[in-house]
Amino acid sequence: RYSLSLSEVGSYHLAGYRLLLSAARSFLLPFAANSSFTFTRATMKDNPYAHHGGNSDDGGYNIFRDSPLRYCGYANEVGESFRYQYPRLVGPSYMIAFGYCFSDAASATYDVMSEDSNKLVTHTRSKEVRAAIAFSDTLLWQGLASVAIPGGVINLVVRASRFAVARTVGLPVFISKWLPTAAGLGSVPVIIKPIDNFVDFALDNTTRKMLEGDD
C-alpha cells in the first residue's frame, strides 16, 4: 500500500492553495486593476443614485466609505474568522456590521433631505423619492459589499483552511487551531477593494441603470 510522506502531503496542499489563489486573482484582478473602477463610489454627477464617494463635486467625503470606519462593515467577517474559537462573537459581529450598513444608508438619506432647495438645480423627482432611492441603493450596496459577499468568501476561506489543516499530518496544535482564523483575517485586505468595485460595477449595470432618469 502506497503512503504519502509528510513533505509530499505538504507539497500537494501548497499546490492546491496556489491554484485557488490563481483562480481568485484571475477573477478579481480586473476589478482591482482597471482604472475605470475606483475605490470610491461614482460621483453624484455621474450617478445620482450613488450619493456618496470621495470625489463628488460637493466635496462628498464619505466617512463610512473613505475612512478606516469602512472596516466596521467587515465586523461580521472577523466574527466568522473566529467562529470555531469563539462562536459567541459571531452574533455581535453581525450586529456591528448591520448597524454600520444602516448608518451609511441613513446618512445618504439625510444628505438628500438636507439639500438646499434654493440651489439652481432642477429635479424631476421629489426630494422624498430621491431620498428613498439613496437609502435603498446604499443599503443594497452595503448588504452586498460588506455582509453577503465578504461573509461567504471568508467563511469559505476558513472552511477550506480547516479542511487542509485537518488532512495535514504533523502540524502543531497551535497552528492547526489558529491557521484557519489567520487565513480568514488575512484575506480581508485582499478582497475588500475588488469586492467594493465589483458591487459598484454590478449595481451600475443593473438597479442603478433601471432607475436612471432626469433626476
Side-chain angles (χ1 to χ4, degrees), residues 73-140:
Y74 275 63
N76 61 303
E77 279 70 51
V78 175
E80 288 291 350
S81 296
F82 284 96
R83 174 179 289 275
Y84 296 99
Q85 288 82 11
Y86 307 104
R88 292 185 178 181
L89 289 179
V90 177
S93 71
Y94 273 90
M95 294 177 62
I96 294 173
F98 280 118
Y100 160 85
C101 295
F102 276 99
S103 297
D104 190 15
S107 175
T109 305
Y110 175 80
D111 288 344
V112 177
M113 294 302 296
S114 61
E115 287 178 356
D116 187 357
S117 301
N118 296 322
K119 284 186 177 181
L120 297 178
V121 179
T122 59
H123 299 283
T124 59
R125 292 185 172 119
S126 67
K127 184 178 291 187
E128 289 75 15
V129 171
R130 289 184 288 113
I133 292 174
F135 179 86
S136 59
D137 175 79
T138 304
L139 194 61
L140 177 61

Side-chain angles (χ1 to χ4, degrees), residues 107-190:
S107 175
T109 305
Y110 175 80
D111 288 344
V112 177
M113 294 302 296
S114 61
E115 287 178 356
D116 187 357
S117 301
N118 296 322
K119 284 186 177 181
L120 297 178
V121 179
T122 59
H123 299 283
T124 59
R125 292 185 172 119
S126 67
K127 184 178 291 187
E128 289 75 15
V129 171
R130 289 184 288 113
I133 292 174
F135 179 86
S136 59
D137 175 79
T138 304
L139 194 61
L140 177 61
W141 188 94
Q142 288 286 4
L144 292 173
S146 297
V147 179
I149 298 177
V153 171
I154 293 179
N155 188 270
L156 180 62
V157 169
V158 173
R159 286 177 179 271
S161 300
R162 285 180 60 85
F163 179 84
V165 165
R167 283 156 179 76
T168 303
V169 297
L171 287 178
V173 176
F174 178 83
I175 294 179
S176 299
K177 180 179 180 180
W178 291 104
L179 182 60
T181 300
L185 294 176
S187 66
V188 172
V190 177

